[in-house]
Amino acid sequence: MAALRPVSPIADLSDPQASLVPAALRCWRAARDAGAPVQQRLHKLLAPARGAMLAPAFDSLLMLYELALGRRLVAGQSAALSADERMLLGLLDGAGDRGARFADTGAVAAMLDSAVRSTRVLLARARRGIGGAALPC
């Protein structure tokens, strides 16, 4: 019997949440690069869409994602998604192959798996509140 796959909170890229994920990664990267308070910047981005609870989740998820990759996350430019943004969408959608792409397969990978699951839950809870264009970070 095949395992049941949970319904993805970002099943298709036309969903506004699918644009929220890269926007959060870009905001996180910009805040980290500027030495700015990351969660405050994420909160400012996410709160208007009733996604304020996602700020600490994205901060943790992206920090662990970067650690598991063993390098800095690369943010996309304008409408073009970076490979890191596409892979993150795949992880959150459940379609990503985590083991084949990450430098760390130990404790960091296990924490990343938990962060992915937690973020999925929070995205699903915020689903009804997400809409419209993401605000600049």
Side-chain angles (χ1 to χ4, degrees), residues 84-132:
D84 289 345
E85 290 167 341
R86 286 190 303 274
M87 188 163 68
L88 180 61
L89 284 167
L91 289 171
L92 290 170
D93 190 32
D97 180 13
R98 183 193 55 75
R101 297 186 182 144
F102 290 116
D104 186 291
T105 56
V108 171
M111 289 185 287
L112 176 62
D113 285 340
S114 293
V116 166
R117 285 191 293 272
S118 296
T119 305
R120 282 181 189 156
V121 168
L122 292 173
L123 279 168
R125 290 187 66 183
R127 185 174 186 87
R128 293 178 193 228
I130 304 294

Side-chain angles (χ1 to χ4, degrees), residues 8-41:
S8 168
I10 54 170
D12 83 56
L13 291 175
S14 66
D15 185 330
Q17 280 189 343
S19 64
L20 184 71
V21 172
L25 186 149
R26 292 170 187 192
C27 179
W28 182 87
R29 174 82 280 146
R32 298 260 310 197
D33 290 350
V38 175
Q39 287 191 22
Q40 287 177 356
R41 292 272 182 99

